[in-house]
Amino acid sequence: MNFDDLFGHIGQHTVDGLSKGAIYALIALGYTLVYGVLRLINFAHSEVFMVGTFAVLGLWTAFGVENNPPIGQAVLLLVLGLIVAGLASGGTALAIERIAYRPLRRKNAPPLIFLITAIGLSLVLVEIFGLVLPKLLGEAVPSMFGRARIILGMPTIIESKTLFTVFGTSVTNIQVIVFVAAVAMMALLDWFINRTRYGRGVRAVAQNPETAALMGVNQERVIMLIFVLGGIMAGAAALLWSMRFGFTQSSIGFVLGLKAFTAAVLGGIGNLRGALVGGLFLGIVEVYGATLFASNWEDVIAFVVLVVVLMFRPTGILGESLGRARA
């Protein structure tokens, strides 16, 4: 165990963990919104994020973007990337709800059927992007079993540079952009849910769907809204991932989705602010664990932490449901 590296560069590892955890937190918001209203674990949400990364890649490829464009062009590409990824991920999330979940709700299907459907949708999207896109791109189609999907690189829109140094800890421009943008998006969503008329409708349905319907709240519109909002957050996470890590593949959402779900549970699933806390906490713990042990233990550490936290705090760190959120 490398305690010297961990404590000798703990500031640097914390900054790395915060920027990584911010992406987890954005994805976790989708799980939290859907669970808070429907008590449904939407495991297909990880592929909503994946679609967003391909949307960003497709946009930048269509524009013929090369590495390190001028700053004005870079800003325009990021804004367009956010819009396109948000539309693609939000549209995918809405399609999943309308095509798959809505018919099941109308038939009063048991929760297990929803869970199986979510897993099935996730696999379908992975296979579509893993098998169809390589053909379109002229790549050899990998086998369905035993081989990794192709990894697609992305151009560097903003070159990573040290912005400032605090007590020996270097903070890059990419880390600042990722963290600030993620927190700003989450703050905007929190304000929307807690301070707007539509947000009150979401909280009313989350707390008591029957009473909300009697008060005139359209439950179907609320459900559509939460899927779209969760998809937009996943799209924003896809853009930030593309900036920070610069690659995508059809299976990219699998482990990231599990970690985002872990972050939602750690913070208190159904709690928007809990998703932020859980995501940042998980990101820091992962980086600390990878430094202390080895990078290939990163995923193991994330889920061990989940088990340990839930043993002592089953409702998560904050544990407040969406329906009980304060106005």
Side-chain angles (χ1 to χ4, degrees):
M1 291 189 290
N2 195 349
F3 286 102
D4 291 338
D5 187 12
L6 176 62
F7 292 109
H9 304 89
I10 194 165
Q12 193 66 61
H13 297 319
T14 302
V15 171
D16 292 341
L18 288 174
S19 64
K20 193 174 186 179
I23 297 175
Y24 293 160
L26 272 180
I27 305 173
L29 289 171
Y31 291 102
T32 285
L33 282 169
V34 173
Y35 182 83
V37 173
L38 293 176
R39 295 298 184 266
L40 165 68
I41 305 298
N42 179 25
F43 280 117
H45 185 66
S46 56
E47 274 53 64
V48 172
F49 163 79
M50 179 269 292
V51 170
T53 63
F54 275 93
V56 173
L57 175 61
L59 174 71
W60 292 347
T61 301
F63 278 96
V65 178
E66 298 181 354
N67 290 334
N68 303 320
I71 185 63
Q73 184 180 346
V75 172
L76 178 61
L77 288 169
L78 292 178
V79 172
L80 289 176
L82 179 62
I83 294 172
V84 170
L87 290 174
S89 293
T92 301
L94 181 60
I96 288 172
E97 195 281 323
R98 294 286 91 178
I99 295 171
Y101 296 146
R102 187 181 187 185
L104 293 178
R105 288 201 315 275
R106 287 182 170 179
K107 294 179 180 179
N108 294 318
L112 180 61
I113 300 302
F114 282 91
L115 180 62
I116 294 173
T117 301
I119 295 173
L121 283 170
S122 177
L123 293 174
V124 166
L125 288 171
V126 168
E127 294 305 322
I128 288 174
F129 279 81
L131 296 175
V132 176
L133 282 185
K135 286 185 178 180
L136 297 177
L137 296 171
E139 299 286 346
V141 180
S143 170
M144 290 181 66
F145 303 101
R147 293 186 183 180
R149 301 305 193 208
I150 58 174
I151 296 177
L152 302 172
M154 297 185 182
T156 301
I157 301 299
I158 297 180
E159 185 179 2
S160 180
K161 296 180 181 179
T162 300
L163 204 58
F164 55 88
T165 302
V166 180
F167 300 114
T169 299
S170 299
V171 181
T172 68
N173 52 349
I174 298 296
Q175 290 171 331
V176 171
I177 292 172
V178 168
F179 183 78
V180 171
V183 172
M185 291 288 292
M186 286 180 276
L188 183 61
L189 179 63
D190 186 77
W191 171 83
F192 180 85
I193 294 296
N194 290 313
R195 295 287 182 241
T196 67
R197 182 167 64 91
Y198 294 106
R200 286 194 294 272
V202 171
R203 288 184 285 116
V205 174
Q207 188 169 14
N208 194 315
E210 292 77 13
T211 302
L214 292 174
M215 297 297 292
V217 178
N218 189 319
Q219 185 173 352
E220 288 299 322
R221 289 183 181 178
V222 167
I223 292 171
M224 290 173 62
L225 178 62
I226 61 169
F227 272 88
V228 171
L229 289 175
I232 291 173
M233 294 298 115
L239 175 66
L240 298 179
W241 171 273
S242 303
M243 286 180 56
R244 192 180 190 280
F245 297 100
F247 74 92
T248 187
Q249 61 184 133
S250 62
S251 59
I252 195 171
F254 178 71
V255 174
L256 276 174
L258 288 177
K259 290 182 179 180
F261 175 66
T262 299
V265 174
L266 280 174
I269 192 163
N271 187 321
L272 295 179
R273 296 170 188 177
L276 171 61
V277 173
L280 297 179
F281 177 74
L282 182 62
I284 292 172
V285 168
E286 269 195 7
V287 174
Y288 284 1
T291 304
L292 189 60
F293 298 100
S295 59
N296 55 350
W297 282 84
E298 185 177 271
D299 297 339
V300 177
I301 292 166
F303 298 112
V304 168
V305 169
L306 172 65
V307 173
V308 171
V309 169
L310 293 183
M311 285 174 60
F312 297 96
R313 181 82 175 171
T315 56
I317 297 172
L318 298 186
E320 187 180 28
S321 69
L322 184 64
R324 297 178 181 275
R326 294 180 180 178

